[in-house]
Amino acid sequence: MTTTATNSPARPRLVTRPLLLRFVSMVGASTGFFLLLSVVPRYATASGAGPATGALMLSTVLGELAAPRFVARYGHRFALVVGLVLLGAPALVLTLSHDLAWIVAVCLVRGLGFALTLVAGGALTASLIPAERRGEGLALVGVVSGVPSLIALPLGVWLATHVGYTPVAVAAGVAALAAVASVPGLPGRQATAPGGEKPVGMVAGLRTGGLVRPAAVFAVTAVATGIVVTFLPLAVPAALDGVVAVALFVQPAASTAARWAAGRHADRHGPARLVLPGLVLSAVGMLVTAATGSPAAVLAGVALFGIGFGIAQNATLTLMYTRVTASGYGTVTALWNLAYDGGMGVGAVGFGALAAWTGYSWAFAVTAVLMLVAVVPAVRDRHTDAPAPPSR
């Protein structure tokens, strides 16, 4: 008697040498950016903190709009190198002057560089992850890029206090520039534009509902993120400072864990049905956090919000990548990062005006209700049969 064994096909390998090399440039860019994110406003002093940060974020957003065209013309490796150089080199000369115009100019250049690393690097990363494991792969990418930011942000402030601004600026510059050495080992243009496909432009992406809807849902959750990280320390009574510190750790930790779980679920069942739960959990978390005088409510609220935000992060990005061919990865990366950066900026600015009128607790509650407006595009995206956008 002969027995025929039925073997399921092996899952494709997730972590490959090119992906590991991509992690090097990812860690370098993230470290170079976040080491100085809170240090530069302090170096610029109170009167220049706003213009410095505003210039950085403005150039990042503008760079994200222009990056897909640049990447399509010159290729992902060249664009990534340019981004790392623009991010790192200006940091080396930041402390040559205390003049605000100089600091703003440095921030403008660094913002453009960071935008290029996000768009070119993000598109390249997507091409290195097997489609069958895209959700899990993007979750892993989120961990790799997120851990340096969690470490570098407080580390930069600590180092600036104890060793001075110049060593921190030099360290940030070296971190980004050293990562350039890893780029030649990455796949070239053919990895993300097979068969001579025409790249999908930003205009076409913005006209495609299958991309705009998940980006809009994610932008709403990003608005709430900007509110939590900016205003939670102000909203919670001073006597509960220890609770704030724990909460600001719990939120990103919950997001990271949820992003990983969402990625594994998306690979098996698809990402579309996760978008709505991610949004609703985020809104519920904001509503619970409105009880700012209760330590239990604050911790439970940021945990719920973190879970919802992590799910939304993974589900929306994975869903957007499934709706384009490889030639559209750059545009998807740019749209998603625009939703992230723009949403955080709108949240930080808009919530301040709202809280001045209603108070912090009511402002959190109102935000939670307003977030539910995004239920409409989230419900429409429970099916993944959206056509790919035309080339433009």
Side-chain angles (χ1 to χ4, degrees):
M1 179 184 296
T2 58
T3 303
T4 303
T6 302
N7 295 321
S8 58
R11 301 179 73 197
R13 185 179 177 186
L14 178 59
V15 179
T16 59
R17 182 178 181 275
L19 187 60
L20 288 173
L21 285 174
R22 171 63 190 124
F23 285 165
V24 173
S25 59
M26 191 182 302
V27 170
S30 185
T31 301
F33 181 80
F34 284 100
L35 267 177
L36 288 179
L37 185 60
S38 293
V39 170
V40 171
R42 293 180 61 178
Y43 179 71
T45 70
S47 61
T53 301
L56 179 70
M57 298 313 299
L58 175 64
S59 62
T60 299
V61 170
L62 293 177
E64 287 166 350
L65 286 169
R69 182 178 292 273
F70 185 89
V71 171
R73 181 169 183 177
Y74 297 106
H76 295 78
R77 285 190 302 195
F78 180 75
L80 183 55
V81 168
V82 171
L84 289 169
V85 170
L86 292 180
L87 178 62
L92 299 177
V93 296
L94 169 67
T95 57
L96 290 182
S97 173
H98 254 294
D99 186 75
L100 181 58
W102 173 258
I103 296 171
V104 167
V106 168
C107 289
L108 286 171
V109 177
R110 295 188 76 240
L112 290 174
F114 190 55
L116 277 174
T117 66
L118 290 174
V119 176
L124 187 54
T125 302
S127 73
L128 299 175
I129 298 173
E132 301 91 335
R133 303 185 70 179
R134 181 176 283 128
E136 185 179 1
L138 291 176
L140 177 61
V141 167
V143 173
V144 172
S145 62
V147 169
S149 67
L150 289 174
I151 296 174
L153 190 61
L155 179 61
V157 175
W158 186 89
L159 288 174
T161 301
H162 290 84
V163 302
Y165 291 106
T166 297
V168 181
V170 171
V174 170
L177 293 174
V180 171
S182 68
V183 177
L186 295 171
R189 184 190 299 265
Q190 69 275 11
T192 52
E197 295 177 4
K198 290 184 178 180
V200 177
M202 286 295 290
V203 173
L206 289 169
R207 291 177 176 175
T208 304
L211 299 182
V212 172
R213 286 192 298 271
V217 174
F218 180 59
V220 169
T221 63
V223 165
T225 302
I227 292 169
V228 169
V229 300
T230 304
F231 289 99
L232 191 65
L234 302 175
V236 173
L240 301 178
D241 279 349
V243 174
V244 173
V246 175
L248 292 179
F249 173 80
V250 167
Q251 188 264 314
S255 294
T256 300
R259 193 172 183 179
W260 180 267
R264 292 181 64 84
H265 184 278
D267 288 339
R268 291 160 175 76
H269 308 287
R273 294 185 179 275
L274 292 175
V275 175
L276 181 59
L279 171 65
V280 172
L281 276 174
S282 298
V284 171
M286 288 294 285
L287 185 61
V288 174
T289 306
T292 54
S294 167
V298 169
L299 293 177
V302 297
L304 283 172
F305 171 74
I307 293 170
F309 183 65
I311 293 172
Q313 274 185 302
N314 189 281
T316 54
L317 184 57
T318 304
L319 183 61
M320 292 168 71
Y321 278 133
T322 65
R323 291 178 169 175
V324 297
T325 58
S327 63
Y329 287 169
T331 294
V332 163
T333 305
L335 284 173
W336 191 83
N337 279 289
L338 277 171
Y340 202 162
D341 297 333
M344 287 191 68
V346 169
V349 174
F351 186 86
L354 177 62
W357 180 48
T358 65
Y360 287 118
S361 292
W362 276 106
F364 273 103
V366 170
T367 299
V369 174
L370 291 177
M371 289 174 69
L372 296 179
V373 172
V375 165
V376 176
V379 169
R380 292 192 64 184
D381 261 335
R382 289 176 69 84
H383 302 286
T384 59
D385 54 348
S391 299
R392 176 66 57 85

